[in-house]
């Protein structure tokens, strides 16, 4: 393609990314991936592990389901973006408590669900649905210093091939969110081996060494090959030729797919200190035949 | 690829050619309105509307009106005196604010008061108030004063740079030209603003006023509006839409409060309308950013929005002074630039900073 020839050494910019999305990702596929309720069904039908959803709340009348919620759950907008509107709760003396210890009454929870339904976290474009799903605890293999909340792995795929990966590391500064724009740390992962390339934080524009977080220098992403295979499967199911697949490693060391993002961010280039454009051409990673079988 | 290229060229060409055709016909430009050496005008006075005959005199700077006529229709002389050089030497004359309709234009003039009882007409229109007209001295009474109506005068009352037919034509061209600037700024420089075309509307409302004063009022409205939303209304735990509605109540009270201050701000319909719509919109957007991220992230976006708006206001002033040919050329260039910018796939200016690893010297793994 014209642009990749002209800017071979340069990073992928927003203009070029938007152009690629227009050309590669069909609107129908983007719509499906954005709707977490429908896409979760697709994933489950294909035997891909994803957090189990207990209830989907479509309208105010479904609020009565609130009595049937399990002891511990996550409330999530079906079409939210950037991690907005997600709360983690567990039951405690008649009410609910989130991981930071803030108390929620039943009315507070209803209030939050109502905001989700009104589209407050999905841009008010349309009415949204609230998903009540299983809370995933992080694997013991991914418990590092200062990490709070769930670390997630982003695999950037181009034409159904993983071309870049990173581990997003929620901290106090990011208020437990794994979003780089909120100040979460990004740990670049070497595509072939799963070792650490660079560690960056968008908020402080600073490079860290793994030792600062108690990560051994010999760290290799557990189940990295499986995760790359999972990313390929999800990109194919979503029919998105350019996408970012978000994977978490549960406490039972099972990789679970959180979502597939059809408009993936470009910050992954800063985290890995390399250009996506260069990877488009090489497609460095090829799945091993044995793993496909 | 080639199909898209031809289609782009066809769209750009069609907009440019149709722009020319419509402006030539519609805004009757650049001819201006033809008037004779005497014309009937309608004075809009405190005691109603009166039609009088006025002499068109491009040799005089100020317009002038007969003192006794002015008094009879309730026009008060201002404290200000101006010095007029006449055939008989220098004269000091009192002035009065005079509003009148000449053809379809509403003109706000500062007219001198003089005894014109022994002259042929009770009123004289000087060149300061004749912008946009062409005078044919051999003819008389070519036009008649039209009714002052239309939505546009509601938005831009008085003798702003966009009054009258010509002004409307110019404004119509200038709005999309300003809009294209936003596109260029976004796609080439990566500067984000609140709402894609909000800066255009802010720029238009700044044009109508003193830019500094306009910015001051906007700044005050947005800061107070945001503060009320984030620190007071948020505690009421209302749905967002109800909060926004309350914000409008607060903004109106603020505007009324400002107009009561003894600094002499008075608000026309246009001011209130534009300010309310824009500030509520911006507060809506900004408070969403503030909730999703941090208040600190709102500031660069607000600064960018108003920075671009001020830039556009100056651009608008410049454009409004241009001739039809120049404006049309800028119009055509803007259409072309927009399509070209939409095809630019390289890095935006801000991304040169964002992707800082480009400048790093160490060997990449």
């Amino acid at each position: 393609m014209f642009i990749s020839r002209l800017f071979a050494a340069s990073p992928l910019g927003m203009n070029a990314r938007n152009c690629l999305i227009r050309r590669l990702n069909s609107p129908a596929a983007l719509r499906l991936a954005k709707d977490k309720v429908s896409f979760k069904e697709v994933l489950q039908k294909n035997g891909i592990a994803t957090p189990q959803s207990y209830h989907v709340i479509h309208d105010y009348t479904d609020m009565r389901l609130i009595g049937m919620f399990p002891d511990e759950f996550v409330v999530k907008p079906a079409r939210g973006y950037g991690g907005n509107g997600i709360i983690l709760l567990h039951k405690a003396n008649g009410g609910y408590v989130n991981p930071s210890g803030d108390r929620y009454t039943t009315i507070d929870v209803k209030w939050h669900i109502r905001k989700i339904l009104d589209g407050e976290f999905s841009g008010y474009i349309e009415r949204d649905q609230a998903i009540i799903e299983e809370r995933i605890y992080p694997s013991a293999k991914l418990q590092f210093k200062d990490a709070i909340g769930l670390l997630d792995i982003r695999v950037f795929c181009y034409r159904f091939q993983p071309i870049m990966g990173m581990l997003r590391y929620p901290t106090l500064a990011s208020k437990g969110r794994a979003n780089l724009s909120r100040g979460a740390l990004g740990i670049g992962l070497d595509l072939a081996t799963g070792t650490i390339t660079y560690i960056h934080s968008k908020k402080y524009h600073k490079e860290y060494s793994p030792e600062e977080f108690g990560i051994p220098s010999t760290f290799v992403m557990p189940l990295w090959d499986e995760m790359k295979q999972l990313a390929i499967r999800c990109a194919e199911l979503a029919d998105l030729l350019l996408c970012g697949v978000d994977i978490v490693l549960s406490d039972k060391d099972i990789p679970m797919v959180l979502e597939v993002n059809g408009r993936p961010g470009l910050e992954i280039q800063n985290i890995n200190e390399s250009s996506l454009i260069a990877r488009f051409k090489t497609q460095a990673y090829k799945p091993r035949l044995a793993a496909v079988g | 690829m080639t199909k898209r290229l031809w289609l782009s060229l066809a769209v750009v060409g069609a907009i440019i050619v149709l722009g020319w055709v419509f402006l030539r016909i519609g805004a009757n430009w650049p001819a201006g309105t033809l008037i004779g050496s005497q014309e009937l005008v309608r004075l809009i006075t405190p005691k109603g509307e009166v039609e009088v005959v006025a002499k068109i005199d491009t040799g005089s700077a100020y317009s002038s009106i007969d003192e006794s006529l002015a008094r009879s229709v309730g026009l008060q002389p201002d404290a200000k005196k101006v010095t007029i050089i006449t055939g008989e030497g220098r004269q000091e004359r009192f002035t009065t604010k005079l509003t009148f309709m000449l053809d379809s234009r509403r003109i706000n003039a500062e007219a001198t008061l003089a005894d014109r009882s022994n002259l042929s007409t009770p009123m004289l229109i000087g060149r300061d108030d004749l912008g946009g007209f062409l005078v044919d001295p051999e003819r008389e009474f070519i036009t008649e004063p039209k009714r002052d109506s239309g939505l546009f005068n509601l938005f831009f009352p008085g003798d702003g740079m966009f009054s009258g037919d010509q002004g409307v034509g110019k404004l119509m061209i200038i709005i999309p030209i300003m809009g294209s600037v936003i596109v260029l700024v976004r796609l080439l420089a990566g500067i984000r603003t609140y709402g894609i075309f909000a800066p255009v509307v802010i720029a238009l409302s700044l044009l109508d006023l003193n830019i500094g004063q306009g910015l001051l009022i906007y700044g005050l409205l947005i800061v107070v509006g945001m503060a009320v939303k984030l620190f007071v209304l948020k505690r009421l735990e209302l749905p967002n839409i109800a909060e926004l509605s309350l914000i409008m109540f607060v903004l109106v009270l603020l505007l009324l409060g400002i107009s009561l201050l003894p600094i002499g701000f008075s608000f026309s319909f246009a001011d209130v309308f534009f300010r309310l719509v824009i500030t509520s919109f911006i507060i809506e957007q900004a408070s969403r950013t503030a909730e999703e991220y941090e208040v600190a992230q709102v500031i660069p976006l607000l600064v960018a929005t108003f920075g671009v708006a001020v830039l556009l206001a100056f651009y608008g002033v410049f454009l409004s002074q241009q001739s039809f040919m120049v404006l049309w050329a800028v119009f055509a260039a803007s259409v072309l630039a927009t399509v070209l910018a939409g095809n630019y796939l390289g890095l935006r200016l801000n991304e040169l900073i964002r992707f800082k690893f480009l400048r790093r010297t160490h060997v990449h793994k």
Side-chain angles (χ1 to χ4, degrees):
Chain A
M1 211 165 84
F2 166 66
I3 53 151
S4 51
R5 250 178 285 140
L6 198 61
F7 299 98
S10 87
L12 183 69
M14 287 300 277
N15 289 341
R17 183 204 77 160
N18 291 343
C19 176
L20 281 173
I21 290 173
R22 274 198 303 276
R23 289 186 189 168
L24 298 176
N25 292 349
S26 77
L30 285 168
R31 221 176 302 126
L32 173 69
K34 192 154 171 39
D35 181 352
K36 293 195 185 85
V37 175
S38 311
F39 194 65
K40 207 186 258 281
E41 283 168 15
V42 173
L43 290 178
Q44 280 165 344
K45 228 174 268 169
N46 288 277
I48 291 174
T50 172
Q52 185 203 342
S53 60
Y54 304 119
H55 302 283
V56 177
I57 297 187
H58 300 275
D59 53 44
Y60 294 165
T61 55
D62 287 342
M63 291 276 198
R64 65 194 146 71
L65 293 173
I66 207 161
M68 296 154 65
F69 286 1
D71 288 346
E72 190 171 44
F73 55 91
V74 178
V75 186
K76 204 184 239 188
R79 291 182 185 78
Y81 50 86
N84 295 317
I86 299 176
I87 51 172
L88 282 60
L89 295 173
H90 62 88
K91 274 185 188 158
N93 12 324
Y96 302 89
V97 182
N98 74 2
S100 338
D102 302 329
R103 300 192 57 82
Y104 283 70
T105 61
T106 310
I107 301 213
D108 291 335
V109 178
K110 275 189 182 165
W111 180 250
H112 185 81
I113 293 173
R114 187 176 159 173
K115 276 189 178 172
I116 292 177
L117 296 180
D118 285 343
E120 188 145 342
F121 306 104
S122 46
Y124 297 97
I125 312 256
E126 51 192 325
R127 289 180 60 80
D128 202 357
Q129 291 152 16
I131 305 174
I132 310 300
E133 70 174 28
E134 170 190 12
R135 178 172 173 189
I136 306 295
Y137 282 90
S139 156
K141 292 178 182 166
L142 291 180
Q143 283 187 351
F144 307 123
K145 202 177 101 191
D146 296 343
I148 55 167
L150 196 56
L151 283 80
D152 83 4
I153 296 109
R154 159 66 62 95
V155 183
F156 200 106
C157 293
Y158 173 69
R159 293 187 186 276
F160 310 131
Q161 289 300 320
I163 58 170
M164 213 179 266
M166 67 172 165
L167 178 65
R168 290 182 298 194
Y169 190 116
T171 58
L172 264 182
S174 72
K175 298 189 179 97
R177 304 280 180 97
N179 303 80
L180 297 174
S181 59
R182 286 171 181 265
L185 277 175
I187 301 179
L189 295 174
D190 184 87
L191 193 68
T193 60
T195 52
I196 292 176
T197 54
Y198 299 95
I199 302 181
H200 283 286
S201 149
K202 191 177 183 179
K203 205 163 181 172
Y204 301 108
H205 297 286
K206 184 181 160 191
E207 196 198 328
Y208 300 90
S209 73
E211 287 75 25
E212 283 177 72
F213 302 96
I215 305 175
S217 53
T218 56
F219 176 83
V220 176
M221 189 65 213
L223 301 173
W224 183 227
D225 281 340
E226 284 80 349
M227 285 180 183
K228 284 183 285 190
Q229 289 304 323
L230 198 57
I232 295 174
R233 279 281 279 150
C234 291
E236 282 171 353
L237 286 173
D239 196 24
L240 292 169
L241 280 88
L242 188 80
C243 64
V245 182
D246 291 344
I247 300 168
V248 291
L249 194 59
S250 77
D251 51 350
K252 295 184 186 77
D253 289 334
I254 300 167
M256 287 183 158
V257 176
L258 285 188
E259 66 173 307
V260 177
N261 195 328
R263 311 183 65 85
L266 300 176
E267 196 57 23
I268 192 168
Q269 299 178 102
N270 265 337
I271 306 298
N272 277 288
E273 295 196 11
S274 49
S275 158
L276 282 166
I277 292 183
R279 306 273 176 107
F280 287 159
K281 286 185 295 185
T282 55
Q283 288 196 4
Y285 176 79
K286 295 274 184 248
R288 283 174 301 180
L289 281 172
V292 174
Chain B
M1 182 64 201
T2 47
K3 198 175 156 196
R4 207 168 65 88
L5 183 73
W6 287 116
L7 194 64
S8 307
L9 282 176
V11 169
V12 170
I15 294 176
I16 293 174
V17 171
L18 286 176
W20 167 272
V21 172
F22 288 146
L23 284 162
R24 247 356 248 252
I25 302 168
N28 134 40
W29 220 349
T33 313
L34 197 66
I35 51 174
S37 60
Q38 289 194 38
E39 288 293 337
L40 197 62
V41 300
R42 187 187 301 109
L43 299 181
I44 299 165
T45 70
K47 290 189 179 169
E49 301 191 352
V50 204
E51 290 194 356
V52 296
V53 176
K55 192 174 135 188
I56 307 298
D57 183 1
T58 55
S60 157
Y62 282 93
S63 296
S64 181
I65 185 167
D66 186 58
E67 263 180 310
S68 54
L69 171 68
R71 208 171 306 123
S72 68
V73 295
L75 293 169
Q76 298 297 325
D78 294 338
K80 188 180 155 198
K81 268 187 170 181
V82 294
T83 308
I84 305 288
I85 300 161
T86 66
E88 295 112 51
R90 285 166 172 272
Q91 272 187 16
E92 291 241 304
R93 286 182 183 172
F94 281 107
T95 59
T96 185
K97 296 262 186 313
L98 186 63
T99 304
F100 60 91
M101 294 297 297
L102 171 57
D103 189 44
S104 57
R105 291 190 62 184
R106 180 192 172 104
I107 297 168
N108 285 351
E110 189 180 37
T112 61
L113 292 166
D115 180 10
R116 298 183 61 89
S117 54
N118 49 4
L119 296 170
S120 57
T121 60
M123 190 177 157
L124 175 147
I125 304 176
R127 62 173 176 270
D128 283 2
D129 301 318
L130 288 171
F133 290 102
L134 288 179
V135 184
D136 181 352
E138 290 189 326
R139 298 168 69 186
E140 289 179 348
F141 304 113
I142 307 174
T143 68
E144 54 182 59
K146 308 260 175 358
R147 285 280 147 205
D148 178 21
S149 67
L151 201 60
F152 193 78
N153 277 322
L154 215 58
F155 285 173
F156 286 92
D159 55 354
M161 59 186 68
F162 294 119
S163 49
D165 286 349
Q166 275 207 331
V168 176
K170 273 192 178 176
L171 185 73
M172 274 167 56
I173 284 206
I174 286 176
I175 289 175
I177 290 177
M178 285 180 162
S180 74
V181 174
I182 308 278
V183 177
L184 299 187
V185 159
R186 169 80 58 97
L187 292 182
L188 303 185
I191 296 174
R192 296 189 76 86
T193 53
Y194 275 126
I196 298 177
F197 295 114
V200 174
V201 190
I202 298 174
L204 290 177
S205 71
L206 288 179
L207 274 184
D208 202 40
L209 276 169
N210 175 312
I211 289 181
Q213 197 192 76
L215 277 180
L216 195 74
I217 296 176
Y218 269 124
L220 193 72
L221 287 180
I222 288 177
V223 168
V224 177
M226 282 284 288
V228 168
K229 181 168 192 315
L230 291 176
F231 300 114
V232 183
L233 296 184
K234 205 177 161 149
R235 307 236 162 113
L236 302 182
E237 300 204 338
L238 294 170
N240 208 302
I241 194 156
E243 270 186 21
L244 284 170
S245 163
L246 287 182
I247 284 285
M248 288 191 114
F249 284 96
V250 173
L251 289 178
V252 167
L253 291 179
L254 258 172
L255 273 172
L256 286 173
I258 295 172
S259 69
L260 289 178
L261 289 177
I263 336 171
F265 291 162
S266 65
F267 295 115
S268 65
F269 174 80
D271 302 338
V272 175
F273 177 79
F274 274 127
R275 295 242 162 80
L276 269 184
V277 170
I278 295 167
T279 34
S280 346
F281 173 76
I282 288 181
I283 289 171
E284 175 182 11
Q285 303 268 318
S287 55
R288 203 176 294 165
T289 318
E291 275 168 23
E292 280 175 26
Y293 302 101
E294 280 168 14
V295 182
Q297 278 178 306
V298 175
I299 293 162
L301 269 168
L302 279 179
V303 169
T305 304
F306 280 90
V308 172
V310 170
L311 196 84
L312 287 179
F314 283 118
Y315 191 38
V317 171
F318 166 77
L319 289 174
S320 70
Q321 292 158 349
Q322 303 306 310
S323 67
F324 168 74
M325 276 306 294
V326 174
L327 260 187
W328 178 78
V330 177
F331 178 85
S334 303
V335 176
L336 200 62
T338 305
V339 174
L340 285 177
N343 280 290
Y344 171 69
L345 297 176
L347 291 183
R348 298 175 182 175
L349 212 55
N350 72 324
E351 287 173 335
L352 293 179
I353 303 158
R354 178 185 171 186
F355 296 117
K356 48 201 176 297
F357 68 87
L358 274 178
R359 296 193 301 274
R360 290 176 74 106
T361 47
H362 68 233
V363 183
H364 294 313
K365 286 183 194 175

